[in-house]
């Protein structure tokens, strides 16, 4: 396994830990980690829409907000976002606007995925920025976490 593949797994495990904590708190268990091109951790977050009463408080958006505030810039070129569930259209659009370079997601979202499953907003040639996408990193673990959460809710 290459160093970059090992780094991707480590970052996704960190995102999964955030997702697990969110699930224990009653949030849909999705976690995100945003790193700079040199591998520096910029932000990590988990879904908080329920607790914040905010439909935009998805893990990806919160990670972008934290990183933007820390760096003093809404543009985050060269960054990679690791997220346990394929971003939705809202999050994908925010990632394009922030100029994120790469998205690595665990589980595909067959209902609202916007990185290739249902839509492909992050690679749409009509937009002014395109994002490299890799899916399926620790997919089984993320899918099980989501499945177990929704089974328990029903």
């Amino acid at each position: 396994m290459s160093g970059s593949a090992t780094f991707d797994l480590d970052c996704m495990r960190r995102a999964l830990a955030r997702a697990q904590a969110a699930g224990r708190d009653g949030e849909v268990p999705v976690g995100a980690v945003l790193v700079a091109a040199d591998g520096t951790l910029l932000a990590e977050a988990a879904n908080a829409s329920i607790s914040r009463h905010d439909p935009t408080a998805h893990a990806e958006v919160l990670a972008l907000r934290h990183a933007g505030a820390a760096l003093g810039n809404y543009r985050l070129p060269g960054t990679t976002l690791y997220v346990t569930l394929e971003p939705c259209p809202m999050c994908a659009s925010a990632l394009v606007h922030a100029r994120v370079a790469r998205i690595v997601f665990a589980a595909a979202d067959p209902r609202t995925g916007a990185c290739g499953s249902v839509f492909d907003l992050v690679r749409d040639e009509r937009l002014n920025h395109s994002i490299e996408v890799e899916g399926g990193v620790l997919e089984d673990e993320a899918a099980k976490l989501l499945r177990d959460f929704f089974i328990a809710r029903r």
Side-chain angles (χ1 to χ4, degrees):
M1 184 175 289
S2 74
S4 62
T6 300
F7 184 77
D8 286 352
L9 289 171
D10 290 344
C11 289
M12 189 61 76
R13 285 187 188 103
R14 192 173 187 124
L16 277 167
R18 295 297 301 232
Q20 289 166 339
R24 286 191 298 273
D25 291 341
E27 297 283 350
V28 176
V30 176
V33 170
L34 187 68
V35 299
D38 67 0
T40 303
L41 175 68
L42 297 174
E44 54 187 332
N47 275 2
S49 294
I50 296 167
S51 62
R52 292 184 182 203
H53 313 289
D54 179 357
T56 68
H58 288 194
E60 302 95 319
V61 170
L62 294 175
L64 290 174
R65 288 176 185 165
H66 296 313
L71 296 174
N73 195 342
Y74 75 94
R75 289 196 173 157
L76 306 168
T79 59
T80 298
L81 179 84
Y82 296 87
V83 63
T84 58
L85 181 65
E86 179 182 5
C88 71
M90 174 187 71
C91 293
S93 295
L95 293 162
V96 168
H97 192 63
R99 308 297 196 275
V100 168
R102 183 172 174 242
I103 298 168
V104 179
F105 68 83
D109 185 345
R111 293 184 183 186
T112 63
C115 297
S117 291
V118 178
F119 308 102
D120 200 356
L121 294 176
V122 299
R123 292 179 286 206
D124 191 313
E125 294 176 0
R126 296 170 291 183
L127 300 177
N128 62 346
H129 179 70
S130 181
I131 302 176
E132 177 187 337
V133 176
E134 181 179 349
V137 176
L138 298 180
E139 179 178 13
D140 293 341
E141 293 91 330
K144 181 179 181 339
L145 182 62
L146 286 159
R147 195 170 39 254
D148 292 349
F149 175 82
F150 286 112
I151 286 171
R153 300 263 316 204
R154 291 184 188 123

